[in-house]
Amino acid sequence: MFQYFLDLWLAQALLTQLLNGTDEVGDSNRELLNTEVPKAICELFDEPPATAPTSLVALMDLLRNYQREIDIAINNLPITRTLDVRIRTGPSRLIFGVPQVLNRCLPRLKGTVFLYLLDEMENLSISQQKYLNTLVRHRKGKCSFRLGARLYGIKTNDTLDGETNRPGAEFDVLELDAYWRSRKQYNDFCERLCIRRLQAVGYFNDQSDEMTLKRILASSLDEPSPDRKSVV
């Protein structure tokens, strides 16, 4: 169920961005956006809608209604004890299919690479992360993924089909904490931020120069020794 929900959600997010940028696609592309694109995206479903959407807005309403069906079923699950949802398309078909449709139907977007951004991966379960790992491993066409998580947030690199994604092969890792700490400009920024906040509450003299305030700040930091125990 998570797979179907995520597919619908990402498809809506992509089409929303496209709708917000219709002024940049040109008049000819705008016409195709409300004719060929909805028709082609509907063909990604195993069960076509009873009434075909005639515009991009109507298509987004259709996807939103499909998502609402899932929400209603989940809300009623404690009472009904069944998750009765009609799944109308296969896993990842919308995620990979919508960019392919846009590449094919809109000359202005031909060759465009679509990037899906998903943050806070630590909030997903292992099985949910496996689905995202599967998307990363088997991505198709002109689309890619950028996933964000806390350092402890990645619970698995396995996919749903039992394979394991490897750093440097299926994906690259960028640890932002280490990246920023290695740059002097970031350290300077953090020091200035601390000084400004301490000045705002009256702990530091506003008349002192920046270097003096940095020395005071550095001397005020209590660096605990390795054998020192903290009591909470």
Side-chain angles (χ1 to χ4, degrees):
M1 189 60 62
F2 170 77
Q3 301 171 22
Y4 182 42
F5 185 92
L6 183 66
D7 289 6
L8 290 171
W9 183 72
L10 288 179
Q12 291 177 74
L14 174 53
L15 294 176
T16 297
Q17 295 303 313
L18 187 63
L19 186 64
N20 292 337
T22 50
D23 292 339
E24 301 176 7
V25 301
D27 293 337
S28 58
N29 285 269
R30 191 179 300 114
E31 182 178 350
L32 294 171
L33 201 59
N34 288 301
T35 54
E36 296 301 320
V37 169
K39 178 182 176 181
I41 291 178
C42 284
E43 292 175 356
L44 299 173
F45 289 91
D46 297 317
E47 182 181 80
T51 302
T54 56
S55 67
L56 186 61
V57 172
L59 173 63
M60 292 177 61
D61 288 340
L62 177 69
L63 298 178
R64 194 173 297 111
N65 287 336
Y66 287 163
Q67 182 179 327
R68 191 174 291 115
E69 290 177 356
I70 302 175
D71 292 333
I72 293 172
I74 292 174
N75 291 339
N76 285 277
L77 181 60
I79 300 173
T80 63
R81 300 296 180 181
T82 59
L83 197 57
D84 187 15
V85 176
R86 196 170 184 83
I87 298 178
R88 295 177 169 84
T89 185
S92 77
R93 194 176 300 169
L94 289 175
I95 292 177
F96 296 130
V98 172
Q100 290 174 349
V101 167
L102 299 178
N103 282 149
R104 184 176 70 250
C105 294
L106 302 177
R108 186 72 175 268
L109 297 182
K110 184 177 181 180
T112 298
V113 177
F114 295 87
L115 179 64
Y116 290 108
L117 305 176
L118 295 96
D119 200 5
E120 299 185 354
M121 286 274 290
E122 64 272 10
N123 294 327
L124 300 182
S125 67
I126 291 178
S127 62
Q128 291 170 341
Q129 288 192 7
K130 283 184 177 181
Y131 179 55
L132 286 172
N133 293 338
T134 303
L135 295 176
V136 170
R137 187 178 187 89
H138 299 293
R139 57 185 179 270
K140 304 173 185 175
K142 297 287 186 178
C143 70
S144 188
F145 299 87
R146 183 165 294 173
L147 310 178
R150 297 181 183 272
L151 291 177
Y152 63 82
I154 302 300
K155 304 178 178 74
T156 180
N157 286 327
D158 293 342
T159 65
L160 292 175
D161 47 13
E163 298 178 289
T164 300
N165 291 349
R166 296 162 299 172
E170 284 75 30
F171 66 96
D172 294 318
V173 177
L174 174 60
E175 293 188 7
L176 290 178
D177 288 348
Y179 173 84
W180 287 116
R181 283 199 300 266
S182 66
R183 281 155 173 76
K184 184 179 183 302
Q185 297 92 332
Y186 182 68
N187 293 332
D188 290 341
F189 165 76
C190 291
E191 288 179 340
R192 290 196 301 271
L193 180 62
C194 291
I195 289 170
R196 296 294 181 271
R197 291 186 174 181
L198 290 170
Q199 285 178 324
V201 294
Y203 281 102
F204 276 3
N205 187 346
D206 291 343
Q207 305 302 319
S208 300
D209 62 87
E210 185 172 304
M211 292 305 300
T212 300
L213 292 174
K214 284 186 176 182
R215 285 195 297 269
I216 296 173
L217 178 65
S219 64
S220 302
L221 296 177
D222 184 15
E223 187 73 25
S225 60
D227 57 345
R228 179 178 176 181
K229 295 182 178 180
S230 299
V231 179
V232 178

